Amino acid sequence: MWRDTRMIMLTAVVAAVYAAVLIPFNAIVIIPGLTSVRPANVFPVIFGIMFGPAAAWGSAIGNLISDIFSGQFGAGSLGGFVGNFAFGFVSYRLWGNLGALSSGEEPDFRGNSGRQLVEYVIIAVVGSTACAAIIAWWLDILGLFPFSVFATIVTINNTLASAVLGPPLLYLVYPRIKEMGLLYPDVLRSEDYDTSAGARSTLGGYGVAATAILWVVIGVAIGVGVEGFGFFVSMGSVFNQGGSTIQMALGAVGFLSLFAFSFLARERFSQIRRN
Amino acid sequence: MSDSTSLYVDGDSLLHRLDPRSKLALSLALFVPAYVFGRPEYIAIPLVVAFAGLLAGGGWRNLKRIWFILVALFVVGLVLWPNFVEPSGPTLVDAGPILLTLDQLLFALGRSLRIATFVVTGLAYISTTANEELVRGMRGLGIPYAFCFAVGTALRLFPTFLGAAGTVRQAQEARGLDLSASNPIERIRNFVPLLIPVFMTAFRNVETQSMALEARGFDTRRERTFYRESAFAVRDWAAVALAVAVVVGAVALSSTGVGTF
């Protein structure tokens, strides 16, 4: 991807647009200074589907720029960078990779729009959850906020913005972006992306979805004290004054699984586009 | 960079003169103690140093810009953490469902100070490092040029798109767009007319910008040369040595139980 000038420019533009919309537009402020429903959170999903890896890197850089310009740059920014990368990357890898749940169509919401909507919403939920899990895990490791609190808030925020805004935005902009020739299968050389229509790829897609959702569900369950885990993190069990050891271990497994499954899930959008 | 969106403060302080990489090492020297210590009196030390660095670098006006965020993060941490720590030590508050012990309070205070240290240190770094320096520092750390170029271009484009976003918002609100609907779903949906113009403005020129770059010989596959190479001065080496000493010292102290619960 980094060999192609247009992909590099797309990365820069995605990053700049994401940051430019992240900062001034807050739809609903939940905790001042900490969390709000941000319409910009739709971008990693729709950009991920259209611009592929450029959107993943662009979302990560855009979130970093937002941290820099809003005065929140710090150790926590690394989690935001990786989490937003995953937000875009998951969306890129999942379109067309959800087996029976996939529409098998381009995301223009014009043909079989009901099935496209189902596929889109699943991707929005999975991307939002993966992003939330990674950021919450990192903040828990740093000992800034408990996993269960942050993962819940970010999952809801991201899902709301991306699920509500994504379909109308794609309906309106997808044909124009396609006409401009900026969809990633039109920009990248075929040897620059891994494509597959095999069952292994679908398994990867389901694996990404299951991992992201289970990570957040189990992590929150541990935090709120179900299944015999204590509600409290005793000070003695707090690893090196960072997050709780069990959340760290769960996060390590979740992160590695997400990484492995998302590489198993080869992109399939280029084949849909060709057909 | 002089645009009002940037938090960089032009100046000639010692922090301004340091290489971005040595400033990063100094930032780590504040992050690590704030991370490895748990007791608030120990975490207060890197916080005070970060504040001093911020003020020395002329970042006071930036602090005034974000004080609300800083206070909100601090208070949220202070309220949240006691609920996630086992009660122990003398009881401070025992009113119905609310129980707060001294240890819980100290633990929460430590976490809130840690958040504040991270934010103030980051702000000091950004206040004394121009965007171009940030990118140069990344390149100096061995990050591939194409990635650094994307970050640098995004930093340059960002103020333009931010301005466009503000203009579009004013224009759409003048046409009657209501962004204060009481139904949250309705409120989010009302952002569609704002996002489309910003989005299309941004992507319209990608093709021509790419052609312009290639016409000027832009090629990420070849080895590049630079007009201005990063040079690590004696003061930068001294800063890195200081940072290493602080990190090693903090880790060694905390591993013997100093400053922890």
Side-chain angles (χ1 to χ4, degrees):
Chain A
M1 175 204 125
W2 294 106
R3 288 187 303 173
D4 193 288
T5 311
R6 280 194 297 173
M7 287 303 272
I8 295 170
M9 272 311 296
L10 273 175
T11 304
V13 172
V14 165
V17 171
Y18 189 36
V21 180
L22 266 177
I23 293 175
F25 293 159
N26 278 335
I28 302 157
V29 176
I30 297 169
I31 302 170
L34 182 67
T35 181
S36 51
V37 177
R38 304 184 299 181
N41 288 335
V42 66
F43 285 156
V45 183
I46 64 169
F47 287 168
I49 295 169
M50 292 191 292
F51 306 133
W57 287 107
S59 304
I61 296 168
N63 190 72
L64 189 68
I65 291 173
S66 165
D67 278 0
I68 289 171
F69 281 86
S70 61
Q72 294 178 64
F73 176 72
S77 300
L78 181 62
F81 184 89
V82 180
N84 277 277
F85 176 86
F87 204 176
F89 194 77
V90 162
S91 310
Y92 152 54
R93 288 293 172 115
L94 286 196
W95 190 268
N97 252 333
L98 291 171
L101 295 170
S102 283
S103 62
E105 292 177 358
E106 292 181 64
D108 57 5
F109 290 90
R110 279 173 168 77
N112 194 348
S113 55
R115 292 199 66 194
Q116 286 180 33
L117 185 66
V118 170
E119 183 173 14
Y120 176 82
V121 171
I122 292 170
I123 291 172
V125 170
V126 172
S128 302
T129 313
C131 173
I134 292 169
I135 296 175
W137 177 50
W138 180 243
L139 293 183
D140 194 90
I141 287 174
L142 290 178
L144 299 183
F145 291 103
F147 179 92
S148 51
V149 174
F150 216 81
T152 310
I153 291 173
V154 178
T155 300
I156 294 169
N157 289 359
N158 287 356
T159 304
L160 255 180
S162 53
V164 172
L165 286 172
L169 278 175
L170 277 172
Y171 177 81
L172 291 166
V173 303
Y174 182 85
R176 289 168 178 80
I177 295 293
K178 186 176 169 182
E179 200 178 297
M180 288 177 186
L182 291 178
L183 296 175
Y184 77 87
D186 299 338
V187 176
L188 278 176
R189 282 172 287 242
S190 56
E191 64 265 26
D192 282 338
Y193 52 82
D194 298 326
T195 189
S196 168
R200 215 173 64 164
S201 194
T202 305
L203 175 72
Y206 281 125
V208 167
T211 303
I213 290 166
L214 282 175
W215 184 356
V216 167
V217 170
I218 296 173
V220 171
I222 290 170
V224 298
V226 299
E227 297 298 327
F229 292 112
F231 178 82
F232 299 114
V233 175
S234 80
M235 285 190 232
S237 74
V238 177
F239 173 73
N240 207 19
Q241 301 307 319
S244 64
T245 314
I246 194 158
Q247 289 286 11
M248 281 188 185
L250 172 73
V253 172
F255 186 74
L256 289 175
S257 306
L258 204 60
F259 188 78
F261 280 124
S262 59
F263 278 91
L264 199 63
R266 306 288 174 83
E267 74 79 41
R268 207 175 268 187
F269 179 54
S270 62
Q271 294 172 28
I272 295 170
R273 170 93 183 83
R274 251 182 268 132
N275 297 334
Chain B
M1 180 132 178
S2 60
D3 57 89
S4 60
T5 51
S6 174
L7 293 180
Y8 174 65
V9 181
D10 204 11
D12 193 36
S13 69
L14 175 63
L15 283 177
H16 282 86
R17 278 177 274 136
L18 284 175
D19 187 278
R21 290 167 291 177
S22 51
K23 267 186 277 191
L24 195 62
L26 287 178
S27 301
L28 278 175
L30 296 177
F31 289 155
V32 171
Y35 179 69
V36 295
F37 293 128
R39 301 197 73 88
E41 61 270 31
Y42 284 82
I43 303 176
I45 298 169
L47 177 60
V48 169
V49 175
F51 262 118
L54 180 67
L55 296 181
W60 175 245
R61 73 174 167 93
N62 287 336
L63 189 64
K64 284 198 287 185
R65 260 166 87 166
I66 69 142
W67 72 268
F68 184 68
I69 297 172
L70 190 62
V71 170
L73 290 171
F74 191 89
V75 172
V76 169
L78 209 55
V79 172
L80 270 180
W81 275 109
N83 301 306
F84 286 82
V85 185
E86 218 168 80
S88 62
T91 303
L92 296 177
V93 181
D94 189 0
I98 301 170
L99 174 71
L100 181 68
T101 66
L102 181 63
D103 286 356
Q104 281 179 312
L105 179 67
L106 289 175
F107 187 88
L109 190 59
R111 293 302 167 104
S112 284
L113 286 171
R114 183 183 290 173
I115 297 168
T117 306
F118 285 179
V119 173
V120 175
T121 304
L123 193 60
Y125 187 89
I126 292 305
S127 299
T128 57
T129 313
N131 291 339
E132 296 78 5
E133 290 290 305
L134 268 177
V135 177
R136 200 162 63 88
M138 286 166 59
R139 225 173 52 217
L141 287 171
I143 295 172
Y145 174 72
F147 181 84
C148 297
F149 178 84
V151 175
T153 309
L155 283 166
R156 281 170 196 281
L157 290 173
F158 163 73
T160 311
F161 293 156
L162 193 64
T167 308
V168 168
R169 182 184 192 140
Q170 285 174 3
Q172 298 291 46
E173 283 182 330
R175 289 179 177 91
L177 179 70
D178 179 18
L179 295 173
S180 57
S182 54
N183 180 339
I185 303 291
E186 191 61 34
R187 193 185 295 188
I188 295 169
R189 285 185 74 94
N190 285 348
F191 276 84
V192 171
L194 282 182
L195 299 179
I196 300 279
V198 178
F199 186 102
M200 293 314 295
T201 308
F203 288 96
R204 195 179 296 146
N205 296 324
V206 167
E207 187 69 43
T208 45
Q209 284 164 336
S210 305
M211 283 163 66
L213 278 172
E214 285 175 352
R216 285 165 175 79
F218 180 79
D219 184 356
T220 56
R221 282 164 287 186
R222 297 221 181 121
E223 191 65 34
R224 292 189 66 87
T225 55
F226 296 95
Y227 178 71
R228 195 177 166 193
E229 290 292 347
S230 295
F232 229 56
V234 175
R235 60 173 174 264
D236 295 307
W237 287 113
V240 172
L242 176 68
V244 171
V246 170
V247 168
V248 171
V251 172
L253 277 175
S254 69
S255 62
T256 59
V258 175
T260 58
F261 286 103

